[in-house]
Amino acid sequence: MPDHRRAEGKVYQLAYVLLFSILAIVSGGNSYRSIVTFIEMHRLR
């Protein structure tokens, strides 16, 4: 999947952003805030 973000927007690889977003949604997240909260809680694992 091509990454169309600008260089300054590429803090994290697209694959990881998509993975964590999908995991957050599957675990019950239904908003951007819940996805961000999920990522903040599980990022270091």
Side-chain angles (χ1 to χ4, degrees):
M1 172 177 274
D3 191 352
H4 298 287
R5 296 176 295 169
R6 294 180 298 174
E8 60 268 8
K10 294 182 182 180
V11 176
Y12 302 106
Q13 293 180 14
L14 182 61
Y16 293 122
V17 173
L18 294 174
L19 173 66
F20 274 99
S21 298
I22 291 169
L23 290 173
I25 291 168
V26 168
S27 67
N30 57 1
S31 67
Y32 288 121
R33 180 169 289 195
S34 63
I35 292 171
V36 169
T37 302
F38 180 87
I39 291 171
E40 287 174 348
M41 292 176 61
H42 295 94
R43 183 174 59 93
L44 296 178
R45 286 191 201 176

